[in-house]
Amino acid sequence: MLYIDVDAMSKLAHWNALPLLPKITGFAWEEVVTVSSLRFRAQRCREKADGKVFHHADAAIRIIEHLELMGVAGTPDPAILSELSSLPQIDEGEAVLLSLTLGDAQGVFLTGDKRALRGLAQNEICRRFARRILVLEQILEQCLAQAGHKWVLANFCPYKHIDKAINAILGSRCDTGVENLMDGIHSYLGELDRLHDPSMLYSFDDAVR
């Protein structure tokens, strides 16, 4: 299963990248799970964005449409949930999804929260997430490879500012060429890769699905 936190779901919806996710990750929509509370927040924002999770009502509508296709979260292991919940950098929803990831032999966690990853890297439980965490920079890289440079600029640029790293990678004028885009992506991925040994970052090359 692919477990996606609220931050990543929201940003991918703004960038119109949700339809590409099954092809990118190899997980069908029924194998994708997020927290149940996202549905209620999206429903509240389908008429008027809240300016926090949703910066445009269209993103809320896209999420509602995709939630209808997605799987249902199971019950996390209480001991693992308690350990993850004790980390101040990880919020309640992330703790649940991370717990479910560890309870699933093929579970992968997709997040847009770098603060949570840095907090996780400081805890011994981090070792259990080796090669099991996807980040938005990896999704951007895959979108570039599969949908192309023009598609990335057209879809990411209008809301590039909602993610600090993506904003920096795309540049202030959002006219960055492919080579510079890749350099920026790999720079941020290198930083995350070095947070822990073994690396937490998911490897598309090693994935068997």
Side-chain angles (χ1 to χ4, degrees), residues 114 135-141 165 169 185 188-189 192:
K114 306 299 190 302
V135 294
L136 294 175
E137 291 84 352
Q138 290 174 291
I139 300 299
L140 172 59
E141 183 178 31
I169 290 168
I185 290 168
Y188 275 91
L189 290 180
L192 295 173

Side-chain angles (χ1 to χ4, degrees), residues 35-186:
V35 293
S36 59
S37 60
L38 181 57
R39 180 184 299 274
F40 303 109
R41 188 157 192 171
Q43 287 172 340
R44 290 198 302 269
C45 295
R46 63 186 305 167
E47 299 295 336
K48 183 179 179 181
D50 60 10
K52 296 178 181 179
V53 172
F54 295 104
H55 299 264
H56 197 287
D58 285 351
I61 293 170
R62 288 172 190 150
I63 280 185
I64 291 169
E65 292 172 349
H66 284 87
L67 286 172
E68 297 300 322
L69 307 174
M70 292 168 64
V72 178
T75 302
D77 183 297
I80 297 175
L81 179 59
S82 177
E83 183 175 356
L84 289 164
S85 297
S86 70
L87 303 180
Q89 301 92 339
I90 295 176
D91 66 32
E92 181 180 353
E94 290 167 342
V96 169
L97 294 171
L98 285 164
S99 301
L100 290 170
T101 301
L102 287 187
D104 178 350
Q106 292 190 329
V108 176
F109 179 59
L110 170 55
T111 182
D113 189 347
K114 306 299 190 302
R115 180 174 178 267
L117 293 185
R118 293 186 179 97
L120 190 62
Q122 298 170 18
N123 189 277
E124 184 61 27
I125 199 172
C126 178
R127 291 187 174 276
R128 299 183 62 184
F129 288 99
R131 300 297 182 187
R132 301 185 72 178
I133 293 183
L134 263 172
V135 294
L136 294 175
E137 291 84 352
Q138 290 174 291
I139 300 299
L140 172 59
E141 183 178 31
Q142 292 297 315
C143 285
L144 187 62
Q146 298 190 23
H149 182 240
K150 289 183 179 179
W151 185 94
V152 164
L153 296 186
N155 287 277
F156 278 70
C157 286
Y159 290 99
K160 67 186 180 71
H161 62 279
I162 63 177
D163 185 89
K164 184 178 179 180
I166 298 298
N167 190 47
I169 290 168
L170 291 172
S172 59
R173 296 174 60 185
C174 213
D175 57 358
T176 306
V178 174
E179 185 175 342
N180 286 337
L181 271 179
M182 292 301 296
D183 286 345
I185 290 168
H186 291 160

